[in-house]
Amino acid sequence: MKAAVEEAYRKFGRIDFLVNNAGHGYRAAIEESDSRQVHDLFEEDFFAPMELVRTVLPKMREQCHGLIM
């Protein structure tokens, strides 16, 4: 993730928009759910997008411009 952001800054000089649209679903009754699959769901749907925002936001603040969707 960090390398991709650094490459985007190297290539384009700035990032103006981040469309944070990754994820997947998981359907199961809570008592039947697989803990590993639930963990993976939260990793992909919550923690990874949060980390991407943390990676991009400091430079967006520096440039006083940017939109995260």
Side-chain angles (χ1 to χ4, degrees):
M1 196 177 306
K2 186 176 179 186
V5 169
E6 288 172 356
E7 176 64 17
Y9 278 112
R10 187 193 65 71
K11 187 172 183 177
F12 302 110
R14 62 189 287 148
I15 294 176
D16 295 310
F17 300 97
L18 169 61
V19 179
N20 219 352
N21 188 34
H24 72 276
Y26 176 65
R27 282 181 80 170
I30 191 72
E31 69 274 12
E32 297 170 355
S33 62
D34 177 87
S35 294
R36 183 75 235 163
Q37 288 182 308
V38 172
H39 177 82
D40 291 347
L41 175 76
F42 272 84
E43 191 65 41
E44 185 176 322
D45 290 357
F46 180 77
F47 292 109
M50 182 181 72
E51 192 59 34
L52 189 53
V53 169
R54 285 178 149 172
T55 303
V56 172
L57 193 56
K59 290 245 186 206
M60 284 185 169
R61 285 193 171 140
E62 270 181 36
Q63 65 194 30
C64 297
H65 179 78
L67 179 65
I68 298 172
M69 296 172 46

